[in-house]
Amino acid sequence: MPTFHRVLFAFLLFLTSTCLFAQTFQADLIVYGGTSAAITAAVQAKKMGKSVLVVSPDIHLGGLSSGGLGFTDTGNKAVIGGLAREFYHRIYLHYQQDSAWKWQKREAYGNKGQGTPAIDGENRTMWIFEPHAAERVFEDLVKENQLEVHRNEWLDRESGVTKERGKITEIRVLSGKIYRGKVFIDATYEGDLMAAAGVSYHVGREANSVYGEKWNGVQVGVFQHNHYFYDSISAFRVPGDPSSGLLPEISSEPPGRNGEGDQRLQAYNFRMALSRNPENSVPFPKPDNYDSSRYELLARVYAAGWDETFWKYDPIPNLKTDTNNHGPFSTDYIGKNYDYPEATYERRKEIIQEHEDYQKGLMYFLANDPRVPEKVRKELSHYGLAKDEFTDNGNWPHQIYVREARRMIGDYVMTEHDVLGSKEVPQSVGMGSYSLDSHNTQRFVTPGGFVQNEGDIGVHPKRPYSITYGTLTPKKEECNNLLVPVCVSSSHTAFGSIRMEPVFMILGQSAAAAAALAIDEGIAVQDLSYKKLRKVLLEEKQVLEN
């Protein structure tokens, strides 16, 4: 046999064997993602009699809800219904057990929540919790509902989505496994399935002119939280001398004009679980590539008299904290995530490691550097990483806080007009109530040579608002059997409110209900009767109007 034919035969044999031996799985609904929205979606599908497979790139389920965000961003808790409320009820039941209080007496906890008590005995819900407690609830939901979850399975984003006549027929993951379904749900923070399926989306901030908004786009000089430089602090290595170069962690790029759109993203960080109990804490590790000079800007903030280090060390049970960003220079790694949404998996791992190195270095600096006020170092000496959290990851959160990545562009785009109540929202599938909340997107040099942050927004709606079904569905001509409950169709400002974990759970459940009804009728998700969907959602105790 000629060499060419031998090579061709071998290649055809390889293709045949690959097709024959590739593991193929099938279900009515395929949910891609391991977030809180993914689990509520899968539970709802099971409740409606549908077979469902959860294909999770994550090993740990629950996303940020089990990844450190235990001081829940809720807004008005009365509008949290359905499986989301069930989750917080189960958290309540967990902390009713004496065994849950290992490092702190229940009566010593203090019961501080965001605007309401952490433990709501009247409604039997609890809104503040430890990461491992949340993960246990998600695992209980998986077990009780006999959900099939395939973990550590990553979508082949290059060629892993097969479509026929506007429908996704199957997806393939990097391990070679194939998943076939009638309807698919993208419940990832990144929107990877949505993007690979050819659905339109946006990354970054739209110009205010796109949707007639006020709070989108560049917002230089707008300070609505405490995350800006109160004092005039030089941006240069030698104060006042531009020739000395910029300090680390400051961009040399101009910030842009107010209202202009850009590709910048609000900053990411890790929501650390810190412990004040010496028996349950681990000293802050010194990263191998630690360089104290990158925190010189924070040293100057302290020298100017800033004294708010511990304002967002929010208490969660058992002498722990959900530690979030606060102040002009904190755990947010500003300006270092712009390429994350579109990046390869390899590049994303690098970005995540860069964030981890920055944040671990920051904590080591705070705990040890003599430029940090002694009272801060003394107070921080009482803290360490919680020894009983994230035990398979060096006590470090396994989920980076992807506050915003891709956002779908569907037939209906939620904007700040919907969220702030200036227009009526049709076909509600859930409600939100949190402020338009964007963390800073950039740190730049002012014309006077001083450093400043930009992008921080915190505008409160007057009342809770409805979220329309159209935010979950792509344009029909792009894909008619996909629902997207996390990277929803919304502007940057609207997403700043929608992007809360309770809302993701609500929308995950509603998306699955819609998927089940569309499967029953054999129709596109865009053609589903809202009347039928509404009936199911109300039966499932979703709150649709205020």
Side-chain angles (χ1 to χ4, degrees):
M1 181 183 295
T3 301
F4 170 77
H5 291 103
R6 286 200 303 270
V7 172
L8 179 60
F9 178 76
F11 178 67
L12 292 173
L13 184 63
F14 168 77
L15 289 179
T16 303
S17 63
T18 300
C19 294
L20 288 174
F21 296 107
Q23 286 184 288
T24 301
F25 303 88
Q26 191 156 350
D28 294 324
L29 177 64
I30 304 297
V31 178
Y32 183 62
T35 60
S36 59
I39 302 307
T40 56
V43 170
Q44 181 60 34
K46 265 300 189 76
K47 290 179 71 173
M48 296 180 70
K50 297 294 173 282
S51 59
V52 58
L53 269 166
V54 178
V55 183
S56 172
D58 308 307
I59 295 172
H60 296 275
L61 302 179
L64 258 296
S65 285
S66 61
L69 205 166
F71 197 77
T72 307
D73 298 322
T74 51
N76 188 325
K77 296 169 179 60
V79 302
I80 299 172
L83 290 172
R85 181 162 285 267
E86 170 69 14
F87 171 83
Y88 297 106
H89 172 61
R90 286 173 178 248
I91 292 290
Y92 170 85
L93 294 178
H94 170 77
Y95 285 106
Q96 290 300 299
Q97 305 173 73
D98 291 339
S99 60
W101 298 91
K102 183 177 180 180
W103 306 108
Q104 180 182 37
K105 292 183 179 180
R106 182 190 288 108
E107 55 271 22
Y109 167 54
N111 205 23
K112 176 189 175 184
Q114 284 206 41
T116 60
I119 305 172
D120 184 347
E122 180 180 352
N123 293 296
R124 294 173 61 79
T125 51
M126 186 164 174
W127 307 95
I128 313 297
F129 48 84
E130 299 160 278
H132 76 267
E135 187 169 3
R136 180 179 301 175
V137 170
F138 288 117
E139 293 293 351
D140 286 346
L141 289 169
V142 168
K143 183 177 180 180
E144 293 168 19
N145 291 278
Q146 298 181 319
L147 300 179
E148 187 173 350
V149 181
H150 292 200
R151 305 175 198 235
N152 199 27
E153 296 290 358
W154 298 78
L155 177 68
D156 179 349
R157 292 160 54 194
E158 295 298 321
S159 57
V161 176
T162 301
K163 290 173 67 180
E164 294 179 6
R165 296 185 297 276
K167 292 181 183 291
I168 302 172
T169 57
E170 64 182 35
I171 63 173
R172 186 178 66 255
V173 294
L174 295 181
S175 68
K177 294 174 184 175
I178 294 171
Y179 298 90
R180 294 174 178 159
K182 298 175 182 177
V183 174
F184 292 77
I185 287 178
D186 183 342
T188 64
Y189 291 122
E190 295 83 3
D192 283 342
L193 175 56
M194 170 189 75
V199 171
S200 298
Y201 60 86
H202 188 84
V203 175
R205 300 181 288 187
E206 298 93 347
N208 275 329
S209 59
V210 174
Y211 300 116
E213 296 177 297
K214 178 180 180 180
W215 301 112
N216 212 332
V218 176
Q219 300 284 323
V220 173
V222 176
F223 307 122
Q224 296 180 336
H225 290 111
N226 298 92
H227 308 321
Y228 62 96
F229 289 86
Y230 308 163
D231 300 285
S232 296
I233 294 176
S234 178
F236 306 113
R237 293 181 183 273
V238 176
D241 181 6
S243 67
S244 66
L246 291 173
L247 287 171
E249 317 308 339
I250 302 175
S251 172
S252 61
E253 296 295 318
R257 294 182 179 181
N258 279 18
E260 285 183 337
D262 59 22
Q263 297 300 305
R264 298 181 177 105
L265 297 171
Q266 56 177 310
Y268 299 171
N269 71 344
F270 288 92
R271 296 289 283 256
M272 299 176 295
L274 305 184
S275 172
R276 286 181 61 90
N277 188 308
E279 296 180 50
N280 188 41
S281 66
V282 177
F284 297 112
K286 182 180 182 180
D288 292 337
N289 58 357
Y290 175 72
D291 178 3
S292 66
S293 68
R294 71 189 306 189
Y295 308 105
E296 169 63 23
L297 187 54
L298 178 57
R300 294 185 186 181
V301 171
Y302 279 125
W306 185 77
D307 189 22
E308 299 175 12
T309 304
F310 301 99
W311 279 30
K312 286 302 292 177
Y313 284 46
D314 292 314
I316 61 177
N318 284 307
L319 293 175
K320 298 176 189 174
T321 68
D322 167 0
T323 307
N324 196 11
N325 179 83
H326 179 79
F329 191 107
S330 185
T331 59
D332 279 359
Y333 197 22
I334 298 173
K336 309 299 183 178
N337 60 343
Y338 298 158
D339 59 334
Y340 180 88
E342 304 280 33
T344 63
Y345 291 134
E346 291 74 18
R347 175 59 186 142
R348 283 184 187 169
K349 288 179 182 177
E350 292 174 358
I351 294 169
I352 291 169
Q353 187 62 55
E354 290 163 4
H355 279 70
E356 182 176 334
D357 289 344
Y358 163 80
Q359 196 163 329
K360 283 183 174 178
L362 172 67
M363 300 311 295
Y364 187 84
F365 177 84
L366 289 171
N368 296 281
D369 198 283
R371 288 171 290 175
V372 176
E374 183 180 0
K375 65 178 181 179
V376 174
R377 284 182 281 130
K378 182 177 180 181
E379 176 65 18
L380 199 64
S381 69
H382 299 298
Y383 288 94
L385 300 177
K387 188 184 294 186
D388 60 351
E389 300 290 355
F390 315 120
T391 55
D392 63 346
N393 197 41
N395 310 113
W396 193 256
H398 43 70
Q399 173 68 60
I400 192 171
Y401 195 170
V402 180
R403 288 189 170 95
E404 191 171 356
R406 299 182 179 97
R407 300 186 311 280
M408 183 169 63
I409 303 175
D411 284 327
Y412 193 108
V413 179
M414 289 276 289
T415 70
E416 65 185 48
H417 305 296
D418 300 282
V419 173
L420 297 179
S422 61
K423 59 183 291 191
E424 186 175 345
V425 180
Q427 299 188 344
S428 175
V429 291
M431 299 194 75
S433 62
Y434 208 76
S435 63
L436 307 177
D437 184 20
S438 173
H439 281 231
N440 282 306
T441 65
Q442 60 179 324
R443 179 176 290 136
F444 66 98
V445 184
T446 70
F450 302 113
V451 61
Q452 193 51 267
N453 296 332
E454 184 275 321
D456 175 70
I457 296 295
V459 181
H460 292 271
K462 295 178 181 178
R463 63 188 67 85
Y465 58 91
S466 295
I467 301 170
T468 183
Y469 178 57
T471 62
L472 309 182
T473 58
K475 296 174 182 177
K476 188 177 178 181
E477 63 270 21
E478 294 181 345
C479 191
N480 58 38
N481 68 335
L482 175 68
L483 292 136
V484 184
V486 177
C487 295
V488 296
S489 179
S490 64
S491 70
H492 161 71
T493 48
F495 191 75
S497 176
I498 294 169
R499 67 177 182 85
M500 304 305 156
E501 287 292 302
V503 178
F504 287 157
M505 292 188 220
I506 291 167
L507 297 182
Q509 180 179 11
S510 294
L517 292 174
I519 290 169
D520 286 342
E521 298 187 29
I523 59 174
V525 295
Q526 293 88 351
D527 293 337
L528 181 64
S529 163
Y530 175 68
K531 182 178 180 180
K532 292 180 180 179
L533 176 59
R534 179 182 176 86
K535 180 175 183 296
V536 171
L537 296 182
L538 290 175
E539 289 171 352
E540 296 295 333
K541 299 182 180 179
Q542 292 279 49
V543 181
L544 303 183
E545 287 93 17
N546 191 22

